[in-house]
Protein backbone atom coordinates (compact mmCIF):
# COMPACT_ATOMS: atom_id res chain seq x y z
CA UNK A 1 0.00 0.00 0.00
CA UNK A 2 1.64 3.29 -1.09
CA UNK A 3 2.54 5.54 1.84
CA UNK A 4 5.20 8.18 2.20
CA UNK A 5 8.11 5.74 2.38
CA UNK A 6 7.12 3.68 -0.68
CA UNK A 7 6.32 6.81 -2.71
CA UNK A 8 9.76 8.18 -1.76
CA UNK A 9 11.34 4.98 -3.11
CA UNK A 10 9.34 5.26 -6.31
CA UNK A 11 10.53 8.85 -6.78
CA UNK A 12 14.14 7.82 -6.23
CA UNK A 13 13.83 4.94 -8.72
CA UNK A 14 12.28 7.21 -11.35
CA UNK A 15 14.84 9.93 -10.72
CA UNK A 16 17.74 7.50 -11.12
CA UNK A 17 16.29 6.28 -14.41
CA UNK A 18 15.14 9.56 -15.96
CA UNK A 19 16.90 12.58 -14.47
CA UNK A 20 19.39 14.20 -16.83
CA UNK A 21 18.12 12.24 -19.85
CA UNK A 22 16.03 13.43 -22.78
CA UNK A 23 12.67 11.86 -23.47
CA UNK A 24 12.47 10.12 -26.84
CA UNK A 25 8.82 9.19 -26.30
CA UNK A 26 5.96 10.27 -24.08
CA UNK A 27 2.52 8.73 -24.09
CA UNK A 28 0.00 10.11 -21.60
CA UNK A 29 -3.11 7.97 -21.83
CA UNK A 30 -5.75 10.09 -20.16
CA UNK A 31 -8.24 12.06 -22.26
CA UNK A 32 -7.26 15.56 -21.13
CA UNK A 33 -3.59 14.90 -21.92
CA UNK A 34 -4.11 12.99 -25.17
CA UNK A 35 -2.43 15.70 -27.25
CA UNK A 36 0.39 16.48 -24.79
CA UNK A 37 3.85 15.45 -25.96
CA UNK A 38 6.95 15.74 -23.77
CA UNK A 39 9.27 14.14 -26.33
CA UNK A 40 12.55 16.01 -26.76
CA UNK A 41 12.47 17.51 -23.28
CA UNK A 42 15.07 16.70 -20.64
CA UNK A 43 13.87 15.36 -17.31
CA UNK A 44 15.28 17.53 -14.54
CA UNK A 45 14.23 15.48 -11.51
CA UNK A 46 11.54 13.35 -9.92
CA UNK A 47 10.62 14.16 -6.33
CA UNK A 48 8.08 12.93 -3.81
CA UNK A 49 5.87 15.26 -1.81
CA UNK A 50 3.97 13.19 0.71
CA UNK A 51 2.10 10.66 -1.44
CA UNK A 52 2.47 12.77 -4.59
CA UNK A 53 5.06 12.38 -7.36
CA UNK A 54 6.38 15.37 -9.30
CA UNK A 55 8.32 14.73 -12.51
CA UNK A 56 9.89 18.05 -13.53
CA UNK A 57 10.90 18.43 -17.15
CA UNK A 58 12.55 21.00 -19.36
CA UNK A 59 10.39 23.95 -20.27
CA UNK A 60 9.00 24.54 -16.79
CA UNK A 61 6.54 21.64 -16.83
CA UNK A 62 5.69 19.07 -14.16
CA UNK A 63 3.93 15.76 -14.61
CA UNK A 64 2.02 15.19 -11.38
CA UNK A 65 0.84 11.73 -10.37
CA UNK A 66 -0.69 10.14 -7.31
CA UNK A 67 -0.78 6.38 -6.74
CA UNK A 68 -3.63 6.21 -4.20
CA UNK A 69 -4.38 2.52 -3.55
CA UNK A 70 -3.65 0.74 -6.84
CA UNK A 71 -1.30 2.91 -8.89
CA UNK A 72 2.34 2.03 -9.58
CA UNK A 73 5.31 3.18 -11.65
CA UNK A 74 7.69 0.58 -13.08
CA UNK A 75 11.05 1.14 -14.74
CA UNK A 76 12.28 -1.10 -17.57
CA UNK A 77 15.36 -1.30 -19.78
CA UNK A 78 15.16 -1.61 -23.59
CA UNK A 79 13.86 -5.03 -24.60
CA UNK A 80 12.63 -5.89 -21.12
CA UNK A 81 9.05 -7.15 -20.93
CA UNK A 82 6.64 -4.81 -19.17
CA UNK A 83 5.07 -6.67 -16.27
CA UNK A 84 3.02 -4.13 -14.33
CA UNK A 85 -0.33 -5.23 -15.72
CA UNK A 86 -2.30 -5.42 -18.96
CA UNK A 87 -1.78 -2.68 -21.54
CA UNK A 88 -5.21 -1.16 -20.93
CA UNK A 89 -4.09 -0.24 -17.38
CA UNK A 90 -1.16 1.87 -18.61
CA UNK A 91 -1.72 5.59 -18.07
CA UNK A 92 1.73 7.03 -18.83
CA UNK A 93 4.90 6.06 -20.65
CA UNK A 94 8.10 8.14 -20.42
CA UNK A 95 10.95 6.72 -22.47
CA UNK A 96 14.61 7.73 -22.72
CA UNK A 97 17.40 6.00 -24.64
CA UNK A 98 18.11 3.77 -21.63
CA UNK A 99 14.87 3.36 -19.68
CA UNK A 100 11.10 3.31 -19.94
CA UNK A 101 9.03 4.50 -16.98
CA UNK A 102 5.52 3.07 -17.18
CA UNK A 103 2.68 4.23 -14.94
CA UNK A 104 -0.07 1.70 -14.29
CA UNK A 105 -3.58 2.40 -12.92
CA UNK A 106 -2.68 5.98 -12.05
CA UNK A 107 -5.88 7.59 -10.70
CA UNK A 108 -4.34 11.06 -10.85
CA UNK A 109 -2.23 12.34 -13.74
CA UNK A 110 -1.87 16.04 -14.50
CA UNK A 111 0.49 18.18 -16.53
CA UNK A 112 1.03 21.66 -15.14
CA UNK A 113 3.59 24.42 -14.97
CA UNK A 114 6.26 23.76 -12.37
CA UNK A 115 5.55 27.23 -11.00
CA UNK A 116 2.00 26.06 -10.28
CA UNK A 117 2.85 22.92 -8.27
CA UNK A 118 1.32 24.48 -5.18
CA UNK A 119 -2.08 24.04 -6.82
CA UNK A 120 -1.76 20.26 -6.29
CA UNK A 121 0.57 19.95 -3.27
CA UNK A 122 0.40 23.33 -1.56
CA UNK A 123 -2.22 22.11 0.91
CA UNK A 124 0.03 19.39 2.30
CA UNK A 125 1.55 19.52 5.74
CA UNK A 126 5.25 18.96 6.46
CA UNK A 127 6.68 15.83 4.82
CA UNK A 128 8.66 13.62 7.25
CA UNK A 129 10.90 12.59 4.34
CA UNK A 130 11.12 15.98 2.68
CA UNK A 131 13.49 18.93 2.95
CA UNK A 132 10.58 21.01 4.30
CA UNK A 133 10.16 18.89 7.45
CA UNK A 134 9.10 21.08 10.35
CA UNK A 135 8.16 19.14 13.49
CA UNK A 136 6.77 22.22 15.23
CA UNK A 137 4.43 23.01 12.34
CA UNK A 138 3.37 19.36 12.05
CA UNK A 139 2.52 19.26 15.75
CA UNK A 140 0.59 22.52 15.56
CA UNK A 141 -1.47 21.27 12.61
CA UNK A 142 -2.09 17.89 14.24
CA UNK A 143 -3.46 19.56 17.38
CA UNK A 144 -5.42 22.27 15.57
CA UNK A 145 -8.68 20.42 16.29
CA UNK A 146 -8.15 18.82 19.74
CA UNK A 147 -11.46 16.92 19.63
CA UNK A 148 -10.69 15.15 16.37
CA UNK A 149 -9.97 11.39 16.63
CA UNK A 150 -6.25 10.71 16.58
CA UNK A 151 -6.46 8.27 13.67
CA UNK A 152 -8.29 10.77 11.46
CA UNK A 153 -5.84 13.54 12.36
CA UNK A 154 -2.88 11.35 11.43
CA UNK A 155 -4.40 10.47 8.06
CA UNK A 156 -5.12 14.09 7.19
CA UNK A 157 -2.39 15.00 4.71
CA UNK A 158 -2.72 18.66 5.68
CA UNK A 159 -1.11 17.74 9.01
CA UNK A 160 1.67 15.32 8.07
CA UNK A 161 2.15 14.44 4.42
CA UNK A 162 2.77 10.75 3.79
CA UNK A 163 1.06 8.99 6.70
CA UNK A 164 -1.27 6.26 5.45
CA UNK A 165 -3.49 3.62 6.98
CA UNK A 166 -0.67 1.27 7.96
CA UNK A 167 1.29 3.93 9.82
CA UNK A 168 -1.90 5.32 11.36
CA UNK A 169 -2.68 2.00 13.07
CA UNK A 170 0.93 1.35 14.02
CA UNK A 171 1.54 4.84 15.42
CA UNK A 172 -1.62 4.70 17.53
CA UNK A 173 -0.53 1.35 18.95
CA UNK A 174 2.96 2.58 19.72
CA UNK A 175 1.47 5.66 21.40
CA UNK A 176 -0.80 3.46 23.54
CA UNK A 177 -3.90 5.26 22.28
CA UNK A 178 -6.90 4.01 20.35
CA UNK A 179 -7.41 5.71 16.98
CA UNK A 180 -10.63 7.23 18.37
CA UNK A 181 -8.97 9.04 21.27
CA UNK A 182 -9.30 12.82 20.80
CA UNK A 183 -5.95 13.99 19.51
CA UNK A 184 -5.81 16.66 22.21
CA UNK A 185 -5.80 13.91 24.86
CA UNK A 186 -2.84 12.07 23.37
CA UNK A 187 0.11 11.73 25.71
CA UNK A 188 3.29 13.38 24.43
CA UNK A 189 2.02 14.25 20.92
CA UNK A 190 5.41 15.77 20.14
CA UNK A 191 6.98 12.34 20.61
CA UNK A 192 4.33 10.85 18.32
CA UNK A 193 5.27 13.32 15.57
CA UNK A 194 8.96 12.49 16.03
CA UNK A 195 8.13 8.77 15.94
CA UNK A 196 6.25 9.19 12.67
CA UNK A 197 9.33 10.66 11.10
CA UNK A 198 11.63 7.99 12.53
CA UNK A 199 9.45 5.19 11.19
CA UNK A 200 9.25 6.61 7.68
CA UNK A 201 12.97 7.30 7.62
CA UNK A 202 13.75 3.78 8.85
CA UNK A 203 11.57 2.23 6.14
CA UNK A 204 12.28 4.41 3.14
CA UNK A 205 15.03 2.07 1.92
CA UNK A 206 13.17 -1.15 2.76
CA UNK A 207 10.82 -2.99 0.43
CA UNK A 208 9.09 -4.58 3.43
CA UNK A 209 7.78 -2.12 6.01
CA UNK A 210 8.86 -2.82 9.61
CA UNK A 211 7.64 -1.11 12.79
CA UNK A 212 8.45 -3.80 15.39
CA UNK A 213 12.22 -3.94 14.71
CA UNK A 214 11.74 -7.66 13.89
CA UNK A 215 12.29 -8.19 10.13
CA UNK A 216 10.81 -11.71 10.05
CA UNK A 217 7.94 -11.85 7.56
CA UNK A 218 5.12 -12.42 10.04
CA UNK A 219 6.55 -10.21 12.78
CA UNK A 220 7.07 -6.86 11.04
CA UNK A 221 3.97 -4.95 12.20
CA UNK A 222 2.34 -4.58 15.60
CA UNK A 223 -1.39 -4.61 14.77
CA UNK A 224 -2.04 -3.71 11.13
CA UNK A 225 -3.51 -6.67 9.25
CA UNK A 226 -3.71 -8.79 12.42
CA UNK A 227 -7.46 -8.72 13.16
CA UNK A 228 -8.48 -11.74 15.23
CA UNK A 229 -4.88 -12.62 16.10
CA UNK A 230 -3.14 -12.13 19.47
CA UNK A 231 -1.47 -8.84 20.24
CA UNK A 232 2.29 -9.23 20.03
CA UNK A 233 2.72 -7.41 23.34
CA UNK A 234 -0.06 -8.75 25.59
CA UNK A 235 -1.83 -11.57 23.75
CA UNK A 236 -5.25 -9.90 23.63
CA UNK A 237 -7.13 -10.36 20.35
CA UNK A 238 -6.50 -7.50 17.91
CA UNK A 239 -9.73 -5.81 16.82
CA UNK A 240 -10.68 -3.99 13.65
CA UNK A 241 -13.32 -1.45 12.63
CA UNK A 242 -13.88 1.24 10.04
CA UNK A 243 -12.90 4.81 10.83
CA UNK A 244 -13.60 8.03 8.99
CA UNK A 245 -16.47 9.87 7.30
CA UNK A 246 -19.33 7.78 5.94
CA UNK A 247 -18.35 6.27 2.61
CA UNK A 248 -14.67 6.94 3.24
CA UNK A 249 -14.04 4.61 6.17
CA UNK A 250 -10.58 3.08 6.45
CA UNK A 251 -10.01 -0.25 8.16
CA UNK A 252 -8.35 0.36 11.51
CA UNK A 253 -6.60 -2.11 13.82
CA UNK A 254 -6.01 -1.80 17.57
CA UNK A 255 -5.39 -3.75 20.75
CA UNK A 256 -8.09 -3.06 23.36
CA UNK A 257 -5.68 -3.81 26.21
CA UNK A 258 -2.54 -1.95 25.12
CA UNK A 259 -4.37 1.10 23.77
CA UNK A 260 -6.51 3.32 25.97
CA UNK A 261 -9.38 5.50 24.86
CA UNK A 262 -12.75 5.16 23.17
CA UNK A 263 -13.52 2.74 20.37
CA UNK A 264 -16.61 1.54 18.44
CA UNK A 265 -16.77 -1.38 20.90
CA UNK A 266 -16.49 0.72 24.07
CA UNK A 267 -19.17 -0.02 26.58
Amino acid sequence: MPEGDSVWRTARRLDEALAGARLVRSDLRVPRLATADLSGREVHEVVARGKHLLTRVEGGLTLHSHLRMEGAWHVYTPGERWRGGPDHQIRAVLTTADHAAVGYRLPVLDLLRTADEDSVVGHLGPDPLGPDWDATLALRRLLADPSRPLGEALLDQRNLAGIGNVYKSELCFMAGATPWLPVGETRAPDRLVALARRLLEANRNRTARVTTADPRRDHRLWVYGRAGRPCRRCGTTVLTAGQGPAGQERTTYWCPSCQSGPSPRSG
Side-chain angles (χ1 to χ4, degrees), residues 5-259:
D5 50 1
S6 53
V7 175
W8 184 92
R9 286 195 303 276
T10 297
R12 184 180 63 176
R13 186 166 64 250
L14 290 171
D15 188 73
E16 290 173 348
L18 302 177
R22 199 164 296 277
L23 295 173
V24 297
R25 177 193 175 199
S26 81
D27 184 4
L28 306 179
R29 303 180 186 179
V30 296
R32 64 184 174 279
L33 300 180
T35 61
D37 186 4
L38 300 176
S39 300
R41 298 176 187 264
E42 181 180 315
V43 178
H44 292 323
E45 61 180 345
V46 183
V47 300
R49 181 74 172 84
K51 300 182 184 181
H52 299 252
L53 287 162
L54 303 171
T55 302
R56 296 166 179 156
V57 301
E58 183 180 11
L61 295 176
T62 294
L63 185 66
H64 164 241
S65 58
H66 194 297
L67 306 180
R68 289 190 181 163
M69 298 293 289
E70 300 295 333
W73 280 95
H74 296 265
V75 175
Y76 303 103
T77 54
E80 186 178 1
R81 185 170 66 88
W82 296 1
R83 304 177 303 278
D87 286 353
H88 72 265
Q89 293 182 350
I90 295 174
R91 298 293 177 266
V93 180
L94 301 175
T95 305
T96 69
D98 298 315
H99 296 94
V102 185
Y104 290 88
R105 300 171 298 278
L106 301 176
V108 176
L109 191 68
D110 302 300
L111 186 63
L112 62 152
R113 294 192 307 163
T114 301
D116 295 334
E117 286 180 357
D118 272 359
S119 66
V120 292
V121 297
H123 66 288
L124 298 175
D127 183 345
L129 297 180
D132 72 323
W133 174 245
D134 184 332
T136 300
L137 177 59
L139 179 62
R140 185 164 68 244
R141 289 194 176 193
L142 190 69
L143 296 176
D145 181 357
S147 64
R148 191 176 191 186
L150 173 61
E152 292 185 24
L154 285 171
L155 278 184
D156 192 333
Q157 300 300 294
R158 296 170 298 181
N159 298 333
L160 286 84
I163 300 297
N165 208 37
V166 177
Y167 281 118
K168 175 197 76 172
S169 293
E170 295 294 288
L171 284 166
C172 288
F173 176 84
M174 297 170 81
T178 69
W180 292 270
L181 182 74
V183 65
E185 297 179 23
T186 305
R187 296 191 300 271
D190 56 332
R191 295 181 184 176
L192 182 63
V193 168
L195 177 60
R197 188 187 191 199
R198 287 201 305 274
L199 287 180
L200 265 73
E201 284 189 325
N203 283 294
R204 66 181 180 180
N205 290 313
R206 293 174 176 154
T207 55
R209 192 173 288 129
V210 178
T211 60
T212 63
D214 187 338
R216 288 179 295 172
R217 182 179 180 84
D218 194 43
H219 294 73
R220 293 169 182 161
L221 302 177
W222 287 107
V223 291
Y224 184 84
R226 290 183 53 79
R229 302 172 69 182
C231 171
R232 298 192 188 285
R233 182 175 289 162
C234 74
T236 302
T237 299
V238 173
L239 302 180
T240 185
Q243 182 181 31
Q248 302 177 39
E249 298 92 341
R250 303 293 299 276
T251 302
T252 299
Y253 302 84
W254 81 102
C255 172
S257 295
C258 292
Q259 296 171 252

